[in-house]
Amino acid sequence: MQQRVIDTALIGTALAGLLVTGVAAGATHGGPADEPTAQKVTGQQVTAHKAAGQQLIGHNVTDQLVSGHKVTGQRVSEPKAAGQQATGQQVTGQNDMQAARHATAKPVKKGPKALFSGKTKASYFWDDGSGVNGDTGAPAGGKPMQKGLFASPSWPMHTKVKVTYKGRSVTGFVGDRGPGEPSHRGVMLDLDTYTFRHLVDGKKPSSKYNTGTSAGHLKGVKYEVLSWGHGASKKGAPKPLG
């Protein structure tokens, strides 16, 4: 038994000597002394190796050293250790992607808060001084007839108003007085033909004087006053004309 232990020790010493000799020979032929070239691995899957204390995951490594082994055209695969990040590789599905998504997200813009709101029945008109359909002349607010110009029996001129009906909305302003007698029957807004038709079905009128629909009034139109105009007229709930 003692002789066998001595033989084993002698064999181990001899192998270590051969390894040192191989390293020295490699250095003599121009190879770095700390990079043994005798252990070249080809066509094998190398796992559980670390290079300079870093993890290599999913990279095709060519002529690189992994813990002293020269690897040619092989894939080094090992699960990434917690708290480490592979150098020179693209990391996906991590916090940097989430940060990028948050960086490109745009904040939701909120419209101005309504100063006053309610519901009413609305009619339509188009007064441009042509005399068509009982046209009474140019709008009283001093601005020409246009899309988004409404008539109110009592609100100050140039009051900014948003009207909504069945999910469709238009923001305009009070530029004329009206409707006349219908305001005593609860019709408190006169809308230009373009706004009226848009609220009906989202389309355009057949002409500026005719909405192209059979509807003469829209019941339950929501109005929101966004800013009051200037003048002696009354703010708050609309009042019948006269």
Side-chain angles (χ1 to χ4, degrees):
M1 176 62 70
Q2 181 177 3
Q3 180 65 34
R4 187 173 183 180
V5 170
I6 294 173
D7 292 344
T8 302
L10 290 174
I11 292 171
T13 303
L15 289 176
L18 289 175
L19 180 58
V20 171
T21 302
V23 172
T28 304
H29 287 82
D34 58 346
E35 298 181 4
T37 59
Q39 302 184 35
K40 184 174 182 180
V41 183
T42 303
Q44 298 180 2
Q45 186 78 11
V46 180
T47 61
H49 284 287
K50 296 181 180 179
Q54 298 176 349
Q55 288 294 124
L56 299 178
I57 302 175
H59 274 279
N60 288 327
V61 182
T62 303
D63 294 334
Q64 297 183 12
L65 287 177
V66 182
S67 298
H69 291 277
K70 187 173 184 181
V71 184
T72 303
Q74 300 180 39
R75 179 175 291 275
V76 179
S77 175
E78 182 184 18
K80 182 166 69 69
Q84 294 182 338
Q85 184 172 354
T87 303
Q89 64 178 351
Q90 185 176 2
V91 182
T92 59
Q94 298 186 13
N95 292 335
D96 54 347
M97 292 185 65
Q98 296 179 359
R101 286 198 297 269
H102 289 310
T104 56
K106 296 181 179 180
V108 178
K109 294 182 179 181
K110 295 183 179 180
K113 185 177 180 181
L115 302 177
F116 187 83
S117 63
K119 290 186 177 181
T120 187
K121 186 183 290 186
S123 56
Y124 68 88
F125 77 113
W126 190 275
D127 285 352
D128 58 3
S130 63
V132 177
N133 295 334
D135 183 359
T136 57
K143 292 189 177 182
M145 191 67 208
Q146 59 190 280
K147 298 177 184 178
L149 190 152
F150 310 152
S152 168
S154 61
W155 286 339
M157 288 294 172
H158 306 137
T159 293
K160 188 176 182 180
V161 185
K162 178 181 178 181
V163 291
T164 304
Y165 182 76
K166 292 186 176 180
R168 288 178 288 273
S169 299
V170 175
T171 299
F173 67 98
V174 174
D176 204 359
R177 285 284 169 244
E181 188 275 333
S183 65
H184 293 271
R185 294 184 279 113
V187 184
M188 295 295 183
L189 268 178
D190 228 354
L191 308 175
D192 68 277
T193 52
Y194 287 89
T195 296
F196 190 93
R197 179 61 189 266
H198 179 77
L199 294 184
V200 171
D201 56 14
K203 298 180 179 180
K204 295 181 180 180
S206 54
S207 74
K208 57 186 178 181
Y209 303 108
N210 191 342
T211 64
T213 69
S214 59
H217 299 86
L218 296 180
K219 186 178 181 180
V221 172
K222 180 182 179 181
Y223 60 81
E224 297 173 272
V225 176
L226 304 180
S227 64
W228 293 108
H230 301 287
S233 299
K234 299 179 181 179
K235 300 177 183 180
K239 305 294 181 182
L241 188 65

